Amino acid sequence: TRATLRRWATEGYMPYGYGARIHPVRPPDRARPGERLRVTVDVENLSDRTWPKRADPSSAIKLGLNVAAAGAPSTGSLRGDLLPADVAPGETVRLSIDFAAPAVPGRYELRLDLVEEGKAWFSDWGFPPVTLLLQVG
């Protein structure tokens, strides 16, 4: 629509539904090797579309986590909570992900992103993941 084009011209292009802002809520910054941790975030829908709640995890929008040694590429990703309800533009939802701290002591990066399974990571569309530092040891 004209309104969408005008918004893209003034605020930047935002593909279908992939605009998000991730705010960590008291994230852990230290852990023992193998310790079970939980990261909780508030996620704001910055797009002009409602994110639908889907019961099927293979097509749902979820919180994702990549853990990597500081400055190194990630070796895999984990998935967390599904959306608890539809999230309209401008609304915020709280999501969490549980994981085990790496077994090897060191400094790690936790990269939090949203993913629409089977389609794309939100960061693929220009919304960078939030990176937290975790000291293990």
Side-chain angles (χ1 to χ4, degrees), residues 1-25:
T1 67
R2 289 188 114 137
T4 300
L5 290 174
R6 193 174 9 245
R7 186 171 48 78
W8 287 349
T10 58
E11 300 173 22
Y13 174 67
M14 186 181 308
Y16 172 80
Y18 293 109
R21 183 176 298 127
I22 300 171
H23 301 280
V25 178

Side-chain angles (χ1 to χ4, degrees), residues 29-92:
D29 60 357
R30 296 191 151 303
R32 294 181 309 279
E35 180 181 354
R36 294 296 303 169
L37 300 171
R38 171 174 276 219
V39 175
T40 300
V41 297
D42 288 334
V43 180
E44 181 183 0
N45 181 350
L46 298 180
S47 74
D48 61 355
R49 306 278 177 130
T50 296
W51 298 336
K53 174 186 176 179
R54 294 187 184 124
D56 179 2
S58 68
S59 65
I61 294 174
K62 315 175 191 174
L63 180 61
L65 172 69
N66 290 294
V67 178
S74 173
T75 57
S77 61
L78 304 167
R79 303 299 195 269
D81 289 347
L82 303 172
L83 297 178
D86 289 351
V87 182
E91 287 186 341
T92 298

Side-chain angles (χ1 to χ4, degrees), residues 112-123:
L112 296 157
D113 198 354
L114 291 181
V115 60
E116 183 173 12
E117 294 293 355
K119 292 194 178 177
W121 289 86
F122 281 37
S123 59

